[in-house]
Amino acid sequence: MFTMILLLYLQQHRDVMLESTSLRGTYKTKKACEAAAVRARGPLPTPQGYAAAWHDAMCIPINRGVIVNEGKPVDLGKLLQGRPPVVCEGTGAWRRVVELCTPAGGNGGMR
């Protein structure tokens, strides 16, 4: 069994900060976890005051029978509220936000 850890990085000036981490889903195999992680990685809309925002994702093994309580994601909506990014990017950043705001499903994201 595997779970995915999402890592949210924000860049301000030249400093890159790990802003938060959260767990996402339960997967039967590392291959299934990595396939899901590919879509979670990449740029996100950049809140005002930051130079960049992006997610990385890594898959880690968990013991069978372990239930993953998904971590509460950072409220990007709150960061972006009333201050949308200056540039609308075609990088898939907004698609990723929609996917991250959707629960993994009643079966815990089991693949």
Side-chain angles (χ1 to χ4, degrees), residues 47-95:
Q48 190 173 20
Y50 294 94
W54 66 92
H55 265 133
D56 196 0
M58 59 189 236
C59 294
I60 61 166
I62 56 174
N63 290 329
R64 296 202 179 278
V66 171
I67 296 171
V68 175
N69 290 325
E70 294 190 13
K72 183 179 176 184
V74 169
D75 190 354
L76 280 173
K78 193 172 187 178
L79 287 173
L80 294 167
Q81 190 175 31
R83 295 184 272 172
V86 179
V87 179
C88 291
E89 302 174 49
T91 61
W94 288 105
R95 174 192 50 81

